[in-house]
Amino acid sequence: MRALIDADGILFRCGFAVEHKKYKLYIKGEEHNGPFQIYEYKREIPKELQTDPEVVIETSTEIEPLQNALYLVKQEMENIISATSAERHSTYIKGKGNFREAIAVTRPYKGNRDVTHRPKYEQEIREYLKQYWGAEEVDGMETDDKVAIEQWDDMVCQGIKSKVLNANPRTIICTMDKDLDQIPGWHYNFQKKIKYWVTEEEAQYNFYKQLLMGDASDNIQGVAGLGEKGAEKILSFCKTPKEMYLLTRDRYLECYGGKGLEILTEMANLLWLLRYPGD
C-alpha cells in the first residue's frame, strides 16, 4: 500500500499548533496597570467587551521553537504511515499557480482567504518535508488534484469496481480535506483518525452534493441558500449520475435563470478534481 499524503494540511496544522495567540484586555487610559483579562481565543471575548469603547484589546502571539513544529510534523507523518500500514508513501505540497484562478469568473478562486494568515515556520516546514519526507511541490493545480490523479490511476489499473470491498488497491488518500471524497478507493482522515472506503457511487454523490452547496472555504458558490441538508434531500431522489446532474442543473437554472448553465459549468470545473493530467 502506498500512502498518498496531502501534506498541506500537515504544514498548516503543525505550523499553527506552535503559535499561541493572547488577547489582552485593558481599560483605556490605564494600560500601564496591565490587562484586567486575558483570552486565548477571540471568540471567548464577550461581545459587550469587544464593542466597549472603554476597553482596549491588544493581540500578541507567543511562538514555540522551530524544533517543536518539526517534531509535530514528524509525529504526524509517522502516525499516518503506521495507521495506513503503508509500505511506501508519496508526499505532496502546494507549489506555484492553479489553473482554477483563470476559469473563476463569478468570484475569484479562494478570494475570500486572508493570504497573510500563514504559519511563521511555513518555509522551514516545507523544506523539512521536502528534505526528509521526499515531498514533491505541485505546480499549476492543487495538491488534491495530484493525489486524485495518483489514486484514480491505481483504481483504473486495478480494475476495481465500486462495490468490491475486498479488492487489493495499492494506494490510500491521506488528507483532512473532504473534497477528495469525490475520488473512489481507500481514504484516511488523519485529523479524525478514520480510515474508510469510498465507492464509485458515493464519489459521484459527493461531487454533486458539493456542486449544489458550493464551497465557502474556496469562495465557490453553489445554489444560493442551499445548505448540506437541502443538497442531501435533492439527491436522495436520484439513482444514477444522470439524475443527479439533471436535478442539479434544474436547481442552477431556477436560481440563476439564463446564466444557470454557464455558472453550473464554471462551478463544476472549479470543484472537479483531476483524474489525469490535462483532464
Side-chain angles (χ1 to χ4, degrees):
M1 180 77 75
R2 177 166 65 110
L4 305 173
I5 304 174
D6 174 9
D8 283 340
I10 296 173
L11 189 159
F12 281 87
R13 187 182 183 194
C14 296
F16 282 127
V18 298
E19 299 182 13
H20 309 287
K21 276 194 173 183
K22 299 289 184 183
Y23 296 89
K24 300 178 181 179
L25 277 59
Y26 301 84
I27 299 297
K28 190 174 182 179
E30 300 181 20
E31 289 85 351
H32 59 281
N33 291 327
F36 67 85
Q37 186 64 274
I38 299 176
Y39 295 93
E40 289 189 11
Y41 302 99
K42 189 175 182 179
R43 64 176 180 269
E44 295 177 339
I45 306 175
K47 288 185 178 179
E48 59 269 23
L49 292 180
Q50 293 188 44
T51 57
D52 190 334
E54 295 301 315
V55 173
V56 176
I57 301 177
E58 178 187 275
T59 305
S60 62
T61 304
E62 298 175 3
I63 303 177
E64 298 177 32
L66 171 61
Q67 57 264 34
N68 291 14
L70 299 184
Y71 176 74
L72 291 177
V73 174
K74 178 176 180 289
Q75 259 192 332
E76 194 78 84
M77 292 292 293
E78 290 177 345
N79 288 342
I80 290 171
I81 292 169
S82 174
T84 58
S85 301
E87 295 89 13
R88 298 185 297 134
H89 70 274
S90 297
T91 306
Y92 305 102
I93 51 176
K94 187 72 179 74
K96 298 177 181 178
N98 190 324
F99 70 90
R100 291 176 178 83
E101 295 167 358
I103 62 176
V105 176
T106 306
R107 297 177 180 176
Y109 181 62
K110 294 188 176 180
N112 57 340
R113 295 195 180 185
D114 181 0
V115 295
T116 64
H117 187 57
R118 308 186 76 85
K120 174 180 173 59
Y121 296 132
E122 177 182 3
Q123 193 55 43
E124 290 86 348
I125 295 174
R126 290 176 69 87
E127 291 304 316
Y128 172 76
L129 284 166
K130 287 161 63 177
Q131 183 175 351
Y132 291 96
W133 295 97
E136 173 187 339
E137 289 189 333
V138 179
D139 295 327
M141 64 179 81
E142 297 283 6
T143 52
D144 291 1
D145 292 302
K146 179 63 176 176
V147 170
I149 288 169
E150 292 296 310
Q151 179 127 315
W152 186 258
D153 180 66
D154 176 60
M155 296 293 286
V156 172
C157 288
Q158 291 288 309
I160 297 170
K161 302 301 181 183
S162 57
K163 295 181 181 179
V164 181
L165 297 180
N166 61 346
N168 188 30
R170 298 174 298 183
T171 59
I172 179 170
I173 289 174
C174 305
T175 184
M176 300 189 302
D177 198 334
K178 67 184 186 307
D179 297 352
L180 277 157
D181 284 351
Q182 63 174 269
I183 303 298
W186 282 113
H187 291 247
Y188 178 68
N189 185 313
F190 52 78
Q191 182 179 34
K192 298 179 179 179
K193 302 188 187 309
I194 300 173
K195 181 180 177 182
Y196 57 98
W197 177 271
V198 175
T199 68
E200 188 176 344
E201 290 87 354
E202 288 169 338
Q204 292 166 342
Y205 172 89
N206 291 333
F207 171 72
Y208 281 103
K209 177 181 172 182
Q210 193 170 36
L211 185 54
L212 285 164
M213 293 169 51
D215 189 342
S217 65
D218 287 340
N219 207 30
I220 300 173
Q221 72 184 61
V223 175
L226 190 64
E228 184 174 7
K229 295 298 181 183
E232 290 174 349
K233 184 176 180 180
I234 292 169
L235 295 175
S236 66
F237 298 102
C238 302
K239 295 181 180 179
T240 66
K242 180 182 178 181
E243 291 176 349
M244 293 183 198
Y245 167 72
L246 291 175
L247 278 179
T248 301
R249 181 199 64 182
D250 291 346
R251 296 296 180 176
Y252 268 83
L253 289 172
E254 289 172 12
C255 182
Y256 300 108
K259 287 194 171 183
L261 285 178
E262 180 183 334
I263 295 175
L264 168 64
T265 302
E266 178 188 346
M267 301 310 147
N269 282 325
L270 291 172
L271 291 167
W272 182 258
L273 294 179
L274 304 186
R275 270 55 171 180
Y276 50 86
D279 185 9

